Amino acid sequence: MSDGDGSLAVYVGEHSCRALDGISRIGAELPVEIVHGTRTSLRRLRAAVRTVPGAVPDAAAADAALQALALPLGVVRDADVLAALLASEAEDLEPGPARSAAQALLEDELRSRRRDALAALEAAAAAGTGAWREGAALLEAWCRTPPSPPVPAAEEVLDRAERKVVRRLETSGGEPSRLHAARKAAKRWRYAAELLAAAPDDAPSHEHIEAARVRAEAMQELLGGVQDLEIAHGLLTELVTAADDGSPARTGLEQLRTRLSARQRELIARAVASS
């Protein structure tokens, strides 16, 4: 590792302030972009702690505190992603009673899910558990005076992260649950690359970092698509089971589930082939 010029501290400070602003809005209206931005900043901070654990006194405690903030936000974000995905896919069904009934049912269900997720998020913030308070205090401290991580050996860090993704892909057997584990590794790879890209542009490894960031982002998006479709498939199966036999809603939901299953198979094939 080498000493940085403060660029990584700026990166940590910016994302700490963004995340702090996001959690301060809990209890008021939380639009999709605020939820997404806050959660992404928390992920980037967790990646910074994991990539350069020596930058903070107790990396494990810091990571746990940030995770306590991120988890309930993640449930809201999942509801937002699901709503956008299913609304878009349902629009491509054949127009008619089946599509209209399925769209109406999905709209009600997803609105309810987001409302419940927001209520759980607000309850977590109001409860102010030890982990939540620690996370908020950490953001406030880092927003004012961020730690200044040393710049690690970028190529070693990123190559190791990429190998972990490849191993998980190779042993996944195309199973969505195992691909989800590969997705988590890809996210860590991507955010490590983004952190290291904040180092000076004249760093010798900058070209290597940027190439890794591009590959990691593409892999995360591909595997994220697989996981989003897996969650959507599960919801559709629940709704199909609950719908009346032969009803327009059930017909539309079954058509949508078939469509998404085919899409997921395509993405899984691409993901496995990429390893």
Side-chain angles (χ1 to χ4, degrees), residues 77-236:
R77 178 58 183 164
D78 288 346
D80 289 338
V81 170
L82 201 56
L85 170 64
L86 291 173
S88 174
E89 293 292 339
E91 277 295 323
D92 290 334
L93 294 177
E94 187 71 24
R99 185 180 79 173
S100 298
Q103 286 176 314
L105 195 155
L106 284 169
E107 185 176 343
D108 288 345
E109 176 67 22
L110 293 167
R111 185 186 300 113
S112 175
R113 288 193 173 213
R114 190 178 205 270
R115 184 172 59 246
D116 291 347
L118 283 173
L121 174 61
E122 291 172 14
T129 61
W132 184 279
R133 288 197 305 272
E134 288 171 15
L138 197 62
L139 293 179
E140 188 173 351
W142 287 0
C143 183
R144 291 195 309 267
T145 309
S148 183
V151 180
E155 293 189 15
E156 178 184 342
V157 168
L158 297 177
D159 289 351
R160 184 169 61 246
E162 183 172 13
R163 287 195 298 271
K164 182 175 289 187
V165 175
V166 171
R167 283 197 303 271
R168 292 187 178 184
L169 285 173
E170 289 175 341
T171 59
S172 69
E175 290 293 329
S177 61
R178 293 184 176 181
L179 290 173
H180 184 44
R183 178 199 183 193
K184 290 180 179 179
K187 284 192 291 187
R188 289 192 286 271
W189 177 27
R190 173 189 175 179
Y191 291 134
E194 289 186 357
L195 170 70
L196 296 170
D201 288 349
D202 59 355
S205 57
H206 187 73
E207 185 175 333
H208 186 91
I209 293 170
E210 178 59 18
R213 186 197 64 77
V214 170
R215 292 197 307 278
E217 184 174 1
M219 181 56 67
Q220 181 191 345
E221 290 180 358
L222 175 59
L223 294 172
V226 173
Q227 180 63 14
D228 291 344
L229 290 167
E230 183 70 9
I231 294 171
H233 187 277
L235 171 60
L236 291 171

Side-chain angles (χ1 to χ4, degrees), residues 86 89-90 93 97-107 109-110 232-233 235-244 247-261:
L86 291 173
E89 293 292 339
L93 294 177
R99 185 180 79 173
S100 298
Q103 286 176 314
L105 195 155
L106 284 169
E107 185 176 343
E109 176 67 22
L110 293 167
H233 187 277
L235 171 60
L236 291 171
T237 296
E238 289 179 21
L239 297 177
V240 165
T241 301
D244 293 335
S247 66
R250 180 163 186 160
T251 299
L253 292 169
E254 288 176 333
Q255 291 173 351
L256 185 56
R257 184 173 60 174
T258 298
R259 177 185 180 86
L260 295 190
S261 293

